[in-house]
């Protein structure tokens, strides 16, 4: 029997299908969460009061017009929580809706007297989860169960002036210094600078540029190479001096034996005595004013010795010393971290393609020049993990799945108790991310109750973004990202370069001015980009377009284009 054709019924079904929301299409995603502190007053005793807010940008997708979007937040580890509604802002370039929530966190104090010290009073972090409720359904983004977060009184770092991967990070007098790191574009040259993080403001200052690197044992009197081709150097701080030791030449592979010393008071470089031999697998540790370069394995390469290199304070040459107990380091690929005259070696595996994992926990004591066993780890390490000493304990972070351990757990190793704790927060770091010790912050609760020293790590993500990770709080607060595009072009006197693009703060209708810098390099940078990728193009005088296809740069990256 044939069914009769009923146009009105078909039309009604089409209307219902159009209006009915499709299941599984609701999505909310946190794009950025950042703190906003507004100065209110001072008490005349050195303390300042601030109004604290968190601004959270969201990307929302839903076929339903009527929706409830917002952020659930907690400043006390979810013992209590509240919801903050979000407001519609506009459309993102990929069609998603842009919403923004402002979380009012009340007031907090900075520079408050806490006993004999000064510190801050209020929450260290605010934890966040975004929600979308529409048509009787709910979607959440809680960072895969780990919570999004914004650092309030915890140490924070502004985005780096230029994206870089695998920089060296060391503490000097409570301030973090970053040396080098390789560009993510082109040949991956080294960013030839030294940066200092202001512990009070979280802003970066360029302390010095890396000098030419001596490429022969003759030191300053011999030939040199550009610091932009230096990779794999060891960096260590002794007092107010930074040592940059050895390394290799990018692409060529020449192994260097240079010693460069930066006096942080005068900001002047000097060339120290050359190393006795290339670094090999040696890692640096400062010991009572001396620098030790310590072998991290009993397995030695062709022509390499098993000796540590030691440069004593005021010495004119390195000396080579034996390391007692080096045979304990029977494997290779140890995860290393230095602190207070000791070098910790964790994990390791037997040399060879099918070598077994060792699970060692070893420590080199520079005062006795002895390597001893502290205990064993409960898990295998691949050697790709990053480690840093935070509050006297070794924090070991895992990296992305194709290189790291399958269980993804971060570990906290206590060298005194020889105990390992698996952390509740398990961030996977991008490959070639590095960890740096954050300046310790003294933080108390309301009324100055229960002051504590917050020990955290700063995560250099391989882009310009620097995250704050507190193992004891189980919180990873993502930092802001600085996106930088550079156009190298001589446009002539009185002319300018502008930049247009498809995502805010850029637009295709009108360009924003780039800033001229030396070498006819025009720079445009922003921390307001929320999209993962920016499609853009430069123009001369905002009229003449760059020829060819549109250009693309990922959020937080630095891209240089020659026109």
């Amino acid at each position: 029997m044939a069914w009769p054709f009923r146009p009105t019924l078909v039309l009604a079904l089409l209307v219902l299908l159009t209006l009915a929301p499709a299941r599984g299409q609701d999505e909310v995603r946190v794009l950025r969460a950042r703190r906003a502190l507004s100065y209110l007053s001072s008490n005349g005793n050195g303390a300042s009061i601030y109004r604290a807010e968190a601004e959270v940008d969201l990307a929302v997708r839903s076929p339903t017009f009527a929706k409830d979007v917002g952020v659930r937040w907690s400043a006390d580890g979810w013992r209590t929580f509240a919801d903050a509604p979000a407001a519609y802002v506009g459309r993102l370039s990929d069609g998603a809706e842009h919403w923004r929530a402002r979380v009012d966190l009340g007031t907090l104090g900075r520079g408050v007297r806490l006993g004999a010290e000064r510190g801050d009073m209020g929450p260290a972090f605010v934890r966040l989860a975004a929600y979308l409720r529409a048509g009787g359904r709910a979607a959440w983004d809680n960072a895969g169960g780990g919570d999004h977060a914004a650092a309030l009184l915890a140490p924070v770092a502004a985005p780096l002036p230029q994206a870089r991967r695998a920089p060296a990070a060391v503490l000097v007098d409570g301030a973090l210094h970053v040396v080098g790191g390789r560009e993510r574009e082109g040949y991956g040259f080294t960013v030839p600078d030294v940066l200092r993080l202001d512990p009070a403001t979280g802003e970066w200052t360029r302390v010095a540029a890396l000098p030419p690197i001596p490429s022969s044992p003759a030191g300053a009197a011999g030939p040199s190479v550009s610091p932009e081709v230096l990779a794999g150097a060891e960096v260590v701080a002794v007092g107010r001096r930074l040592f940059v030791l050895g390394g290799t030449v990018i692409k060529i592979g020449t192994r260097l034996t240079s010693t460069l010393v930066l006096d942080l008071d005068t900001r002047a470089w000097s060339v120290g005595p050359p190393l006795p031999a290339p670094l090999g697998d040696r890692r640096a540790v400062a010991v009572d004013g001396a620098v030790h370069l310590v072998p991290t394995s009993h397995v030695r390469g062709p022509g390499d010795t098993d000796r540590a290199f030691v440069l004593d304070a005021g010495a004119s040459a390195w000396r080579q010393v034996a390391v007692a107990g080096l045979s304990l380091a029977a494997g290779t690929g140890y995860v290393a971290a230095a602190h207070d005259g000791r070098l910790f070696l964790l994990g390791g595996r037997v040399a060879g393609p099918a070598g077994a994992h060792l699970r060692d926990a070893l420590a080199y004591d520079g005062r006795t020049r002895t390597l001893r066993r502290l205990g064993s780890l409960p898990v295998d390490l691949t050697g790709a993990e990053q480690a840093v000493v935070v509050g006297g304990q070794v924090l070991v972070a895992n990296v992305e799945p194709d290189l790291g351990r399958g269980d993804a757990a971060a570990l906290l190793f206590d060298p005194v108790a020889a105990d390992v704790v698996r952390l509740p927060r398990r961030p996977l770091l991008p490959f070639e991310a590095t960890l740096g010790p954050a300046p310790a912050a003294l933080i108390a609760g309301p009324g100055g109750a229960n002051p504590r020293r917050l020990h955290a790590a700063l995560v250099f993500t391989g882009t310009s973004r620097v995250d704050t990770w507190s193992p004891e709080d189980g919180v990873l607060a993502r930092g802001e990202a600085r996106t930088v595009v550079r156009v190298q072009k001589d446009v002539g006197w009185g002319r300018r370069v502008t930049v247009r693009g498809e995502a805010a703060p850029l637009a295709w209708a009108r360009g924003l001015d780039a800033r001229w810098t030396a070498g006819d390099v025009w720079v445009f940078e922003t921390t307001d980009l929320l999209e993962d990728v920016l499609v853009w193009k430069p123009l001369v005088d905002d009229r003449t377009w760059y020829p060819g296809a549109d250009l693309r740069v990922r959020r937080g990256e630095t891209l240089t284009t020659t026109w």
Side-chain angles (χ1 to χ4, degrees):
M1 172 179 176
W3 290 95
F5 177 69
R6 300 185 181 224
T8 55
L9 180 59
V10 172
L11 181 59
L13 288 172
L14 288 174
V15 170
L16 287 173
L17 288 173
T18 301
L19 295 178
R23 290 190 177 274
Q25 291 186 354
D26 292 325
E27 179 188 6
V28 61
R29 183 165 61 96
V30 174
L31 300 174
R32 178 178 63 186
R34 60 181 178 181
R35 72 176 185 182
L37 301 182
S38 304
Y39 173 78
L40 293 178
S41 64
S42 298
N43 65 1
N45 193 29
S48 299
I49 307 301
Y50 290 82
R51 166 70 65 179
E53 293 181 305
E55 184 180 87
V56 187
D57 289 282
L58 309 171
V60 174
R61 295 182 185 275
S62 175
T64 304
F65 177 78
K67 57 180 74 75
D68 179 22
V69 180
V71 170
R72 179 161 293 178
W73 62 274
S74 175
D76 58 10
W78 297 115
R79 288 187 292 274
T80 62
F81 63 86
D83 289 347
Y88 176 79
V89 177
R91 287 276 180 182
L92 300 172
S93 64
D94 62 359
E97 298 175 5
H98 176 200
W99 292 65
R100 179 175 293 152
R102 295 190 72 88
V103 178
D104 187 348
L105 296 160
T107 59
L108 50 81
R110 311 208 71 172
V112 178
R113 185 168 294 282
L114 301 172
E117 298 183 72
R118 287 192 178 271
D120 298 332
M121 191 168 64
F125 298 92
V126 56
R127 301 172 191 249
L128 306 160
Y131 62 81
L132 162 64
R133 302 186 184 101
R137 306 173 310 280
W140 289 83
D141 177 11
N142 65 350
D147 300 333
H148 293 281
L152 296 178
L153 294 177
V156 296
L160 295 167
Q162 181 177 343
R164 65 194 71 197
R165 49 194 171 95
V170 293
L171 272 179
V172 181
D173 288 344
L176 188 69
H177 289 68
V178 167
V179 180
R182 296 180 63 179
E183 298 174 341
R184 296 179 62 87
E185 59 176 328
Y187 289 102
F189 288 130
T190 292
V191 183
D193 59 15
V194 179
L195 304 175
R196 178 185 183 274
L197 179 67
D198 188 319
T201 66
E203 297 294 330
W204 294 100
T205 301
R206 192 170 189 259
V207 174
L210 287 173
I213 312 297
S215 57
S216 78
S224 62
V225 297
S226 167
E228 294 184 350
V229 298
L230 173 66
E234 276 292 286
V235 178
V236 63
V238 178
R240 296 281 301 162
R241 295 185 299 164
L242 277 180
F243 288 75
V244 180
L245 307 168
T248 59
V249 177
I250 293 172
K251 301 297 182 183
I252 300 174
T254 303
R255 298 191 299 170
L256 302 171
T257 57
S258 54
T259 297
L260 295 173
V261 186
L262 174 63
D263 186 316
L264 291 170
D265 293 322
T266 64
R267 301 192 176 187
W269 289 96
S270 60
V271 177
L275 305 179
L279 283 174
D281 65 349
R282 291 173 178 83
R283 299 295 300 270
V285 57
V287 184
D288 297 335
V291 177
H292 291 214
L293 287 169
V294 185
T296 58
S297 174
H298 180 61
V299 181
R300 312 310 301 157
D304 196 2
T305 73
D306 61 358
R307 296 297 195 259
F309 303 159
V310 176
L311 182 64
D312 296 308
S316 59
W318 292 81
R319 57 191 178 96
Q320 301 187 55
V321 300
V323 177
L326 184 60
S327 59
L328 293 174
T332 60
Y334 287 95
V335 176
H339 177 68
D340 192 25
R342 295 201 293 173
L343 181 69
F344 301 101
L345 304 178
L346 304 178
R349 63 186 305 167
V350 176
H357 290 279
L358 295 174
R359 298 190 176 186
D360 286 338
L362 311 173
Y364 167 82
D365 187 334
R367 296 170 180 87
T368 62
R369 298 194 296 276
T370 300
L371 186 71
R372 65 187 182 91
R373 185 178 302 279
L374 301 179
S376 298
L377 303 180
V379 297
D380 299 334
L381 299 184
T382 66
E385 294 86 352
Q386 292 295 314
V388 68
V389 176
V390 176
Q393 297 187 316
V394 185
L395 173 63
V396 180
N398 201 359
V399 297
E400 53 193 13
D402 57 335
L403 295 168
R405 291 167 285 115
D407 64 2
L411 308 174
L412 200 60
F413 175 72
D414 185 341
V416 176
D419 188 30
V420 175
V421 176
R422 291 181 179 237
L423 301 176
R425 177 76 195 183
R426 299 179 176 90
L428 282 174
L429 304 186
F431 178 58
E432 292 192 307
T434 51
L435 298 175
L442 183 63
I443 299 176
N450 303 317
R452 65 182 177 115
R453 189 74 63 181
L454 176 66
H455 298 285
L458 294 180
V459 182
F460 296 88
T461 62
T463 66
S464 65
R465 198 186 78 223
V466 184
D467 299 340
T468 302
W469 182 16
S470 171
E472 60 184 301
D473 292 271
V475 172
L476 179 72
R478 300 196 180 277
E480 291 194 69
R482 185 191 313 275
T483 305
V484 182
V485 294
R486 303 188 296 195
V487 181
Q488 187 167 23
K489 182 174 178 61
D490 181 2
V491 298
W493 179 257
R495 308 186 72 183
R496 63 192 176 111
V497 170
T498 61
V499 179
R500 300 192 193 189
E502 71 174 15
L506 298 181
W508 288 122
R510 185 177 181 182
L512 297 180
D513 285 335
R515 183 183 76 257
W516 182 89
T517 63
D520 288 319
V521 177
W522 297 80
V523 179
F524 175 82
E525 59 183 67
T526 180
T527 57
D528 291 328
L529 178 67
L530 297 177
E531 319 237 0
D532 293 334
V533 177
L534 173 64
V535 180
W536 68 285
K537 257 194 169 183
L539 301 88
V540 173
D541 294 332
D542 212 29
R543 290 195 303 269
T544 305
W545 290 84
Y546 173 84
D550 295 340
L551 302 172
R552 295 174 178 268
V553 60
R554 295 188 64 84
R555 182 184 178 205
E557 300 280 11
T558 300
L559 178 67
T560 302
T561 298
T562 301
W563 186 348

